[in-house]
Amino acid sequence: MFVAVNGIRLFVDVENAGLVPAGDTMREKPTLLLLHGGPGFDHSAFKPFFSGLSDVAQVVYYDHRGNGRSEDGDRAGWTLTQWGDDVKGLCDALGLVRPVVLGMSFGGYVAQAYASRYPDHPGKLVLASTAAKVDFPAIFARFGELGGPEVARVAETYWTAPTAERRAAYFRTCIPFYRRKPVDPGKLRRVLVRDGTALHFNGPGNEQGRLDFRPVLERVRCPVLVMAGAHDPLVPPSVSEALVAALPPDRVRFAGFAESGHDLFGDEPERALAVLREFIEMVP
């Protein structure tokens, strides 16, 4: 379905009921709002993994503006400020109160924009495989450690000056290092890829290079779970540590995944589900 938010229509999908029978009463489950990665992808990579949490949360998927099935709007609005405002606007439109907001990779940037601008709104925050500030040299070095000099060269060529041709080479050469386990080819074919959004955002001279949430993360007031894979080429351990250090120490907990790359939900699904379930069920 489509929901009108901040002048555009966002594509939204909802899994399972939020209000369920429990004996002689009705139990209201928290809402888990999922912010997909990319940019230029859609929410489909979250399916069917997050169905495994349907007993403890109502799961809401959506595509960011300019991504997936959602409308573009003015490209001047393809900023983290606007994407963060869209999270709040979508919650208002759907009547979501104190949601558990999970941002994966690029979605984690959006989640930080939202939570720092509206610190009283989220009930809980999950930041998975993401950074408060992108460390490009660390990314290039990490790709070199994982795949060798040619993989590092292709990564640096793309991230420093993104083009469609360089992005295609990056997909062929570097994306395989995002995971430790083989990915289902069908999952990759299902994703709606919009390269123009990524080229607008990626790189040191664009929004990705300018983002730095470290000075504002102290505003976050809800419990925060940071999840990171030890073999993630985009978020090396030092970057995860910097994210954790920027958050209020009495509100943040860290879960490291020793056998995971960037897609920790694909590399260690059982443990990831258990960690998320415990966090969702935790009493703040």
Side-chain angles (χ1 to χ4, degrees):
M1 63 180 173
F2 288 90
V3 177
V5 175
N6 295 331
I8 63 163
R9 297 190 311 153
L10 298 180
F11 181 83
V12 179
D13 204 5
V14 180
E15 187 165 29
N16 64 72
L19 193 64
V20 296
D24 59 358
T25 188
M26 298 294 287
R27 175 173 66 91
E28 186 174 4
K29 293 184 289 187
T31 299
L32 176 62
L33 180 61
L34 299 174
L35 280 54
H36 67 79
F41 293 171
D42 68 353
H43 73 279
S44 65
F46 283 141
K47 297 174 175 176
F49 175 83
F50 281 91
S51 298
L53 293 170
S54 61
D55 59 322
V56 294
Q58 183 179 50
V59 183
V60 177
Y61 310 85
Y62 82 98
D63 296 340
H64 306 286
R65 70 169 61 212
N67 292 259
R69 295 162 179 83
S70 291
E71 293 180 346
D72 286 356
D74 187 340
R75 288 196 173 200
W78 290 2
T79 67
L80 288 168
T81 295
Q82 182 62 69
W83 280 312
D85 286 349
D86 286 347
V87 178
K88 175 61 163 55
L90 178 61
C91 289
D92 291 346
L94 296 178
L96 303 183
V97 179
R98 306 290 290 169
V100 181
V101 177
L102 182 150
M104 165 74 180
S105 190
F106 162 76
Y109 307 151
V110 178
Q112 291 173 76
Y114 152 74
S116 59
R117 288 172 63 76
Y118 305 99
D120 293 321
H121 193 264
K124 294 176 183 174
L125 190 66
V126 182
L127 302 175
S129 303
T130 195
K133 181 174 174 57
V134 178
D135 186 339
F136 289 102
I139 291 173
F140 309 148
R142 193 65 169 147
F143 270 117
E145 293 169 5
L146 294 172
E150 177 60 13
V151 175
R153 184 194 67 79
V154 172
E156 183 170 2
T157 299
Y158 172 68
W159 288 114
T160 52
T163 65
E165 181 180 13
R166 291 174 176 181
R167 182 170 171 80
Y170 180 85
F171 267 60
R172 291 192 303 268
T173 306
C174 299
I175 291 293
F177 292 92
Y178 277 34
R179 280 182 59 145
R180 304 265 285 170
K181 292 181 178 179
V183 64
D184 174 9
K187 180 178 180 179
L188 296 177
R189 290 192 292 267
R190 288 193 296 268
V191 175
L192 287 179
V193 179
R194 297 174 61 173
D195 291 330
T197 310
L199 297 176
H200 176 90
F201 179 84
N202 286 342
N206 295 325
E207 184 84 350
Q208 184 186 31
R210 294 189 290 268
L211 74 88
D212 187 355
F213 291 108
R214 293 174 299 176
V216 297
L217 287 179
E218 63 181 11
R219 300 174 187 169
V220 176
R221 297 178 184 173
C222 65
V224 184
L225 171 65
V226 175
M227 307 172 73
H231 303 277
D232 188 343
L234 297 185
V235 188
S238 61
V239 175
S240 296
E241 292 166 5
L243 170 59
V244 172
L247 288 158
D250 60 331
R251 294 178 175 86
V252 64
R253 59 173 56 189
F254 176 76
F257 290 76
E259 302 302 322
S260 292
H262 192 61
D263 183 7
L264 55 88
F265 301 126
D267 281 335
E268 296 184 71
E270 295 84 5
R271 178 160 180 258
L273 272 180
V275 169
L276 286 170
R277 180 183 301 275
E278 179 186 6
F279 184 67
I280 291 170
E281 295 184 315
M282 176 190 76
V283 177

